[in-house]
Amino acid sequence: AKARPDGGIHAGMLENYNTAICLSTLALVNDQPGVQAIIAKAQNNLRDTQWHDQNDPAGKAVNDSHAFFGGAGYGHHGRPDLSNTQIMLEGLHDSGLDCKDPAFVRAMVFITRCQGVPQNTFCGDKIQPDGGFIYATSIDKDHIGVPESAASPELMDEAKLGKPVSGLRTYGSMTYAGFKSYLYAQLDRKDPRVVAAYNWICRNYTLDANPGMSEQGRYQGLFYYYMTFARAFEAWGQPTLVAADGQTRRWANDLVDKLVSMQKPDGSWSNDADRWMEGDVNLTTAYALIALTSAMK
C-alpha cells in the first residue's frame, strides 16, 4: 500500500532506507500476485537514489572522483553514508539482484572510501589504517569530501571549523556493514579489503559494546550493531573465529546468549542509549529478532 509510482516504498520520509527494508521483506513473499513487479520497481528506485551521474547540492557533477559517488543517503538529495549504502545493498541482495549490477560496482567505490586501508586513495590518510570503517566520506552538503566517523565526534567539530581531519576512529557497526557489503558483492575473500575488515573484526570481537566507539558512546547503536554483526557472519558462512585473546569463538552462540540475557520480562529489548532511535523499543526488539534469526540458521 505504500508503494509509489517511482518505485519507492515509504510514507514520505527516509526513502532509501525504508524502500530497502521493504524490498527485503517483499522478497520473502515474492510468489504472491503483483509482488514481483513492485520488487523490480523498488530495485530501480534504489538504483536511482544512489549517487551517480547527477549533480550534488552545489551543482557539481557526481562522477567517480566525487565523494558522493556510489553511496546512498536517506533520499535523492541526502549526502550518502555507509549505513544507508549497506541497507540499500541488503535490499538489492535479498531481492536477488546480480552482484555484477552497476549498483553494486558503484557501491564498492564508496564503501572502500570509508575503510582504513591503503586501497582507499580518496581519504584513507584521514582514517586509522586498521582495516575498519567510518560512517561517511562527507560530513554534510557543506563539507563534501571531509569524512566523518561517529566514533570521533570531536574531530567532526574540528572539521566544521576548517581544521584538518586525521586519525578518524573506525567502529563496529560500520565495519560489519562494510564487511557484509563486500560479501554481498562477492568480492574475492582474499581481496585485501575483505581480509583487513575480517582481521579488524577478530581483533575487536565483542558483544559487550559497539567496539571502537568512545567510552561515553559505547552503547550507542548497540542493537543495530547486533543485527549487522549477525547478518555479516551469516553471509561469511563460518561458525567460528579466533578472537584477539586466541580463543575460538562461536559467534552465534555468543550472540544468542547475550540477547537472551538482555531480554525484558515482556519479551522486548531496549537500549538506554537512545541515539539513532534506539530508545524506541519496537526498533530495538526488531533488530534483536533479526539478529537471532541470523544466528539460529
Side-chain angles (χ1 to χ4, degrees):
K2 298 295 182 182
R4 299 190 169 212
D6 67 356
I9 310 173
H10 55 92
M13 63 182 294
L14 308 181
E15 177 181 356
N16 172 79
Y17 211 89
N18 285 323
T19 300
I21 292 168
C22 292
L23 188 53
S24 291
T25 306
L26 290 174
L28 299 172
V29 291
N30 61 9
D31 57 342
Q32 294 189 15
V35 170
Q36 281 286 2
I38 296 174
I39 286 175
K41 290 182 69 174
Q43 289 175 334
N44 286 333
N45 177 270
L46 293 182
R47 289 191 187 97
D48 292 342
T49 304
Q50 187 182 30
W51 281 99
H52 66 98
D53 298 331
Q54 67 266 68
N55 292 334
D56 70 13
K60 185 177 180 180
V62 177
N63 54 32
D64 59 7
S65 64
H66 193 285
F68 285 9
F69 182 82
Y74 284 108
H76 279 88
H77 304 293
R79 65 86 198 243
D81 60 73
L82 181 52
S83 179
N84 270 290
T85 304
Q86 70 105 359
I87 288 292
M88 173 194 73
L89 289 185
E90 187 162 282
L92 295 175
H93 166 269
D94 291 350
S95 59
L97 190 70
D98 193 305
C99 66
K100 295 182 176 62
D101 187 272
F104 278 91
V105 176
R106 291 189 294 260
M108 293 304 101
V109 175
F110 181 81
I111 291 169
T112 298
R113 289 172 174 175
C114 293
Q115 189 177 14
V117 288
Q119 291 75 23
N120 180 2
T121 57
F122 185 81
C123 61
D125 59 330
K126 298 177 174 63
I127 306 171
Q128 287 188 354
D130 58 7
F133 289 77
I134 62 168
Y135 182 64
T137 59
S138 303
I139 293 174
D140 53 36
K141 65 180 179 62
D142 298 318
H143 299 85
I144 295 174
V146 181
E148 173 191 353
S149 172
S152 299
E154 73 286 353
L155 293 180
M156 183 169 65
D157 293 338
E158 294 282 299
K160 286 183 175 180
L161 294 173
K163 298 181 180 180
V165 174
S166 64
L168 288 170
R169 294 191 297 274
T170 60
Y171 60 109
S173 49
M174 288 303 98
T175 298
Y176 280 94
F179 178 63
K180 174 170 64 73
S181 298
Y182 285 160
L183 299 176
Y184 285 169
Q186 294 186 18
L187 292 193
D188 191 307
R189 295 194 173 199
K190 295 181 181 178
D191 186 298
R193 294 167 294 175
V194 177
V195 173
Y198 182 72
N199 287 342
W200 189 101
I201 286 168
C202 292
R203 289 194 308 271
N204 296 276
Y205 181 81
T206 184
L207 288 164
D208 293 333
N210 189 350
M213 294 288 282
S214 64
E215 182 62 29
Q216 62 269 30
R218 63 199 308 260
Y219 300 120
Q220 293 175 357
L222 185 61
F223 284 86
Y224 178 106
Y225 167 65
Y226 291 153
M227 175 184 68
T228 312
F229 170 106
R231 291 217 64 175
F233 275 124
E234 180 188 356
W236 183 242
Q238 298 297 320
T240 64
L241 75 158
V242 179
D245 60 4
Q247 292 190 15
T248 298
R249 307 298 312 187
R250 299 190 71 86
W251 68 267
N253 290 1
D254 292 344
L255 180 60
V256 170
D257 289 346
K258 183 65 175 180
L259 286 172
V260 167
S261 75
M262 298 171 72
Q263 190 174 24
K264 305 294 184 183
D266 66 356
S268 68
W269 284 267
S270 63
N271 189 352
D272 292 335
D274 63 359
R275 191 178 183 188
W276 300 311
M277 296 180 66
E278 289 207 359
D280 184 342
V281 67
N282 299 290
L283 185 64
T284 48
T285 302
Y287 283 163
L289 286 173
I290 293 170
L292 285 170
T293 299
S294 292
M296 296 172 67
K297 286 183 178 178

